[in-house]
Amino acid sequence: MKYFLLLLLIGCSLSPAALAQENWRKLVKKGELRFEQANFTQAAEFYYSAWQQKKSKTEYLYRAGECYANQRNYQKASQIFGELLKERTKFPLAPFYYAQSLKQEGKYEIAEVAFQDFIQNYGGNDKEDMQKRVDNELLGCQLGLKASEALPPNAVVLENPGENINTVATEFAPVPFSDDILYFSSNMKKKKVHIYRSQRKAGTWTNAVEPVFPNMPDGHFGNGTFTPDGKRF
């Protein structure tokens, strides 16, 4: 049996050519603004582009790594924190975030080695607390390895649900009612967050619409869930 995961993507990429034309200081200011707005996708690109122009400012590369991790782009996060391993003195937690990103990528065995290397060489005053975090992460690596062994190859298929669900706005908290009906939260049509419903027909997800909820106040509402019997939302 194959399990299908629908990917709700957040944010949009910026033009590399446009970023290259901007001064690195302006890029940093834009990155800081996007970070405050929790727009980690664009913040990461601004910080990374600033670092490309000013390679000595590795703090902006570090910030880009943090943003990529926040948006769960662990592949890019691991690449960046891996680049910063040679600057352990300046960024003592970079090796930890490197190992953490590897773990989130599913590279459990490499992550285990990276976690052990981090804690052996870490000299911060909070080493005892970091040891507890590392122990917990190593336990997660072991659980991940066991789950990988139990899951047959190609058992999970990733799909983008398309523009009717994955809009330029922010979509989150997907709740599958069945294989072909999906509820999720979004601010796609209003400034307020509401719940939407879409149905897959002939392989295509329909335009998302707001379900009719009785006695629903006029305000934000989202992150819904069904009772186990599927009769109440």
Side-chain angles (χ1 to χ4, degrees), residues 19 52 73 83 119 168 183 231:
L19 292 174
Q52 286 185 311
N73 189 337
E83 175 73 19
I119 201 62
V168 295
Y183 290 83
K231 294 181 179 180

Side-chain angles (χ1 to χ4, degrees), residues 70-103:
N70 281 331
Q71 70 167 121
R72 296 180 175 83
N73 189 337
Y74 297 110
Q75 184 177 15
K76 286 191 175 181
S78 66
Q79 291 173 354
I80 287 176
F81 289 123
E83 175 73 19
L84 292 169
L85 290 178
K86 56 191 176 186
E87 296 198 39
R88 289 173 182 256
T89 303
K90 187 175 181 179
F91 306 107
L93 290 179
F96 176 79
Y97 295 132
Y98 169 67
Q100 199 173 51
S101 298
L102 288 173
K103 175 197 161 193

Side-chain angles (χ1 to χ4, degrees), residues 40-54:
F40 300 118
T41 301
Q42 293 190 359
E45 295 185 34
F46 282 127
Y47 283 136
Y48 188 79
S49 295
W51 170 76
Q52 286 185 311
Q53 292 187 24
K54 199 74 173 176

Side-chain angles (χ1 to χ4, degrees), residues 11-14 19 27-51 60-68 70-71 80:
C12 56
S13 297
L14 301 165
L19 292 174
L27 291 170
V28 170
K29 289 182 179 180
K30 288 185 177 182
E32 291 172 347
L33 176 61
R34 299 301 192 280
F35 187 87
E36 291 174 0
Q37 296 171 340
N39 186 342
F40 300 118
T41 301
Q42 293 190 359
E45 295 185 34
F46 282 127
Y47 283 136
Y48 188 79
S49 295
W51 170 76
Y60 302 134
L61 182 62
Y62 186 85
R63 292 181 190 176
E66 289 181 313
C67 291
Y68 282 127
N70 281 331
Q71 70 167 121
I80 287 176

Side-chain angles (χ1 to χ4, degrees), residues 40-199:
F40 300 118
T41 301
Q42 293 190 359
E45 295 185 34
F46 282 127
Y47 283 136
Y48 188 79
S49 295
W51 170 76
Q52 286 185 311
Q53 292 187 24
K54 199 74 173 176
K55 291 293 182 71
S56 61
K57 299 288 186 179
T58 48
E59 60 268 30
Y60 302 134
L61 182 62
Y62 186 85
R63 292 181 190 176
E66 289 181 313
C67 291
Y68 282 127
N70 281 331
Q71 70 167 121
R72 296 180 175 83
N73 189 337
Y74 297 110
Q75 184 177 15
K76 286 191 175 181
S78 66
Q79 291 173 354
I80 287 176
F81 289 123
E83 175 73 19
L84 292 169
L85 290 178
K86 56 191 176 186
E87 296 198 39
R88 289 173 182 256
T89 303
K90 187 175 181 179
F91 306 107
L93 290 179
F96 176 79
Y97 295 132
Y98 169 67
Q100 199 173 51
S101 298
L102 288 173
K103 175 197 161 193
Q104 294 299 109
E105 281 189 85
K107 299 177 180 179
Y108 303 114
E109 293 179 342
I110 303 176
E112 284 182 322
V113 175
F115 278 123
Q116 292 165 353
D117 175 72
F118 159 74
I119 201 62
Q120 288 173 4
N121 294 282
Y122 185 66
N125 296 328
D126 59 343
K127 185 167 184 175
E128 185 176 346
D129 291 334
M130 291 307 301
Q131 179 68 66
K132 293 178 181 178
R133 292 184 67 180
V134 167
D135 290 341
N136 188 59
E137 295 286 358
L138 288 172
L139 178 60
C141 288
Q142 287 298 313
L143 291 174
L145 284 169
K146 291 180 180 178
S148 298
E149 293 171 357
L151 195 65
N154 303 319
V156 177
V157 178
L158 302 180
E159 290 183 354
N160 185 319
E163 295 181 355
N164 288 337
I165 294 179
N166 201 157
T167 74
V168 295
T170 299
E171 280 75 45
F172 57 96
V175 181
F177 180 73
S178 67
D179 288 343
D180 296 314
I181 296 178
L182 180 71
Y183 290 83
F184 60 96
S185 300
S186 176
N187 63 351
M188 66 171 74
K189 296 180 181 177
K190 302 178 181 180
K191 292 183 179 180
K192 297 178 180 179
V193 172
H194 284 185
I195 293 174
Y196 291 86
R197 179 184 186 276
S198 180
Q199 185 170 2

